Amino acid sequence: MKIISINAGSSSLKFQLFNMDDETVLASGLFERIGIEGSCYSIKYTGKKVKEEIEMKDHSDAVKILLDKLISLNIISSFDEIDAVGHRTVHGRDKYTDSVLITDEVIEDIDKFKEFAPIHNPANLLGIKAFKEVLPNVPMVAVFDTAFHQTIDEVNYLYPVPYKWYTDYQVRKYGFHGTSHKFIAKTLAEKLGRDDLKIISCHLGQGASLAAIKNGKCVDTSMGFTPLTGVIMGTRSGDVDASIIPFVMEKEGKNVHEVLDDLNKKSGFLGISQYSSDSRDIEQGITEGKRNCVIAEEKFVRSVVNYIAQYYVLLEGVDVIAFTAGIGENSINTRLKIVEELACLGIKIDIDANNVRGEFKRISTPDSKSEVYIVPTNEELMIARDTKAIIENR
Ligand code: AMP
């Protein structure tokens, strides 16, 4: 069975084609600058790579080129080989608690929920509509970033604000990175042979969130109504006092959207370090003695540790703390600093074991009270797995 996982942005489209019989990647690639001058694509397959600048007016053009290339590069011999398409979809509000077969109603909902994800849902829909146009008879599945968090109870998902905001406008915690957290939970359950694990999943990348997971279900997560909240991130502030917004609006003569933009795009690592949003640069800045890089890194570590401590209590102890995504999988130093701060919980890191990047590995000592693992995430594979499960159970 062959399944394509799609992650469509407003001017881009990322794909991976899987052979789901053995979960191998047959091809992967990126279409960029769709609808913009200089549009191009790159496709990797069996150790080879093709790259070409080619005009793409819209996402339908990109999908047509993608499918033609899969044939001309002999990756597939006909479109009939594609059994299904899975689409990363950001917001399913509280209606979608799991991935779902895409119908006209689902398309309408993704469009309706765009007020909750104004950049992402419309972009995801561009991908869905393009495939619907080019491959009208191939089943498609929407895999929502928010769905995994729908098991969070109301005490954790409600904000202490006027209740009407929830009942009338659906203001509540939704959480994001759900596909990644779900992949981490499933991978650990499978590798450790237990489905009753208490897990704190730390997805630490340019965007970052933690999830407290019990028996494979999400109990709480650090992102909220939008992906702005929780731990500090590359350019996003994480949790801040909402009163800062009108205060800065007045000081800088900005409107609410401009200040929100500052919180989304000029804060986090970038805001504090005044240097870079990329953790590798921050690490470099630290070695060069840049004081604000030191503060940014310490603040990041502190905010992650605070959430781990909170979730440790919420879960009444934890079996596994998992690190994933760009920083979580690759930053040896950051992992070390975070786990060292957990010493009072009896959690201990094995310094030699931690000296790796991007591989599934236990990095805690044998006598550590909880285990600590690096678990490389694979959202594309999770999308393909969910897609397969749904089309097989139709
Ligand atoms: P992501 O959003 O998951 O792609 O993660 C991006 C973040 O991961 C950026 O802050 C990168 O600096 C960080 N990252 C990627 N590779 C490394 C690495 N080798 N060492 C430290 N940080 C890394």
Side-chain angles (χ1 to χ4, degrees), residues 228 233-238 240 244-245 247-272:
L228 175 60
M233 301 172 227
T235 62
R236 284 174 249 168
S237 62
V240 291
I244 293 171
I245 296 173
F247 185 82
V248 174
M249 282 168 64
E250 222 162 272
K251 291 282 177 200
E252 298 201 345
K254 288 181 170 170
N255 67 33
V256 71
H257 300 290
E258 289 167 328
V259 177
L260 212 49
D261 223 44
D262 288 347
L263 290 172
N264 269 304
K265 297 187 186 149
K266 296 184 184 156
S267 299
F269 276 143
L270 180 62
I272 292 185

Side-chain angles (χ1 to χ4, degrees), residues 205-207 277-280 283 325-327 330-331 357:
Q206 188 64 13
S277 62
D278 191 299
S279 74
R280 284 167 291 199
E283 284 191 17
I327 299 172
N330 297 301
S331 180
R357 299 181 201 277

Side-chain angles (χ1 to χ4, degrees), residues 38-307:
S39 48
C40 59
Y41 72 83
S42 62
I43 297 178
K44 280 195 221 161
Y45 64 110
T46 56
K48 295 175 219 150
K49 188 168 178 176
V50 285
K51 238 180 141 173
E52 193 185 349
E53 213 177 292
I54 184 166
E55 196 194 339
M56 291 179 252
K57 288 190 306 298
D58 53 26
H59 284 64
S60 297
D61 276 356
V63 171
K64 281 178 205 145
I65 293 167
L66 161 60
L67 293 169
D68 285 345
K69 283 286 151 195
L70 291 180
I71 295 211
S72 65
L73 296 170
N74 290 321
I75 298 164
I76 55 171
S77 48
S78 98
F79 294 165
D80 296 342
E81 281 183 43
I82 296 168
D83 294 289
V85 183
H87 291 271
R88 180 206 179 202
T89 311
V90 166
H91 220 301
R93 228 186 61 186
D94 47 358
K95 177 163 176 182
Y96 294 100
T97 57
D98 209 341
S99 304
V100 67
L101 190 72
I102 296 178
T103 58
D104 289 344
E105 182 189 338
V106 174
I107 290 177
E108 271 169 38
D109 283 338
I110 296 169
D111 185 45
K112 199 161 84 194
F113 301 159
K114 66 177 178 242
E115 64 172 326
F116 294 85
I119 296 170
H120 292 98
N121 270 28
N124 303 152
L125 264 186
L126 289 173
I128 291 171
K129 288 183 175 165
F131 270 93
K132 198 170 147 68
E133 189 186 317
V134 183
L135 294 178
N137 300 318
V138 174
M140 300 200 291
V141 168
V143 178
F144 296 97
D145 277 7
T146 48
F148 184 63
H149 303 301
Q150 280 298 311
T151 47
I152 296 175
D153 72 15
E154 59 188 354
V155 175
N156 287 331
Y157 76 62
L158 281 177
Y159 289 115
V161 293
Y163 198 64
K164 181 177 187 282
W165 295 8
Y166 169 59
T167 52
D168 291 15
Y169 320 128
Q170 293 79 45
V171 171
R172 51 159 284 177
K173 175 183 282 190
Y174 289 102
F176 299 86
H177 292 145
T179 311
S180 175
H181 291 303
K182 181 174 171 179
F183 181 84
I184 302 307
K186 285 199 176 283
T187 303
L188 284 167
E190 197 183 293
K191 297 254 189 197
L192 306 188
R194 280 180 59 188
D195 50 19
D196 62 344
L197 291 169
K198 296 179 196 174
I199 299 168
I200 299 176
S201 168
C202 309
H203 178 112
L204 309 178
Q206 188 64 13
S209 73
L210 280 78
I213 300 164
K214 197 174 188 172
N215 305 331
K217 295 197 164 35
C218 186
V219 181
D220 202 359
T221 192
S222 60
M223 282 179 170
F225 179 65
T226 71
L228 175 60
T229 49
V231 296
I232 80 165
M233 301 172 227
T235 62
R236 284 174 249 168
S237 62
D239 301 327
V240 291
D241 182 340
S243 306
I244 293 171
I245 296 173
F247 185 82
V248 174
M249 282 168 64
E250 222 162 272
K251 291 282 177 200
E252 298 201 345
K254 288 181 170 170
N255 67 33
V256 71
H257 300 290
E258 289 167 328
V259 177
L260 212 49
D261 223 44
D262 288 347
L263 290 172
N264 269 304
K265 297 187 186 149
K266 296 184 184 156
S267 299
F269 276 143
L270 180 62
I272 292 185
S273 69
Q274 304 173 74
Y275 183 57
S276 174
S277 62
D278 191 299
S279 74
R280 284 167 291 199
D281 297 338
I282 300 291
E283 284 191 17
Q284 181 59 31
I286 292 170
T287 61
E288 289 165 12
K290 291 192 165 59
R291 171 93 188 111
N292 279 37
C293 288
V294 175
I295 301 172
E297 168 76 0
E298 282 189 13
K299 201 153 176 64
F300 177 69
V301 169
R302 185 81 46 85
S303 71
V304 172
V305 168
N306 284 348
Y307 271 99

Side-chain angles (χ1 to χ4, degrees), residues 307-378:
Y307 271 99
I308 292 176
Q310 185 185 326
Y311 292 162
Y312 188 93
V313 174
L314 179 68
L315 294 170
E316 300 176 271
V318 62
D319 297 307
V320 183
I321 295 173
F323 287 98
T324 195
I327 299 172
E329 290 170 31
N330 297 301
S331 180
I332 294 164
N333 266 335
T334 307
R335 278 196 309 258
L336 179 66
K337 285 186 195 149
I338 292 169
V339 183
E340 276 181 345
E341 294 223 8
L342 304 173
C344 63
L345 299 174
I347 301 172
K348 297 183 204 162
I349 193 159
D350 177 331
I351 291 175
D352 291 332
N354 183 46
N355 207 10
V356 292
R357 299 181 201 277
E359 63 180 77
F360 182 89
K361 189 162 184 197
R362 195 183 80 179
I363 56 168
S364 48
T365 58
D367 65 338
S368 175
K369 211 162 162 222
S370 307
E371 295 191 295
V372 184
Y373 274 87
I374 303 169
V375 187
T377 195
N378 193 338

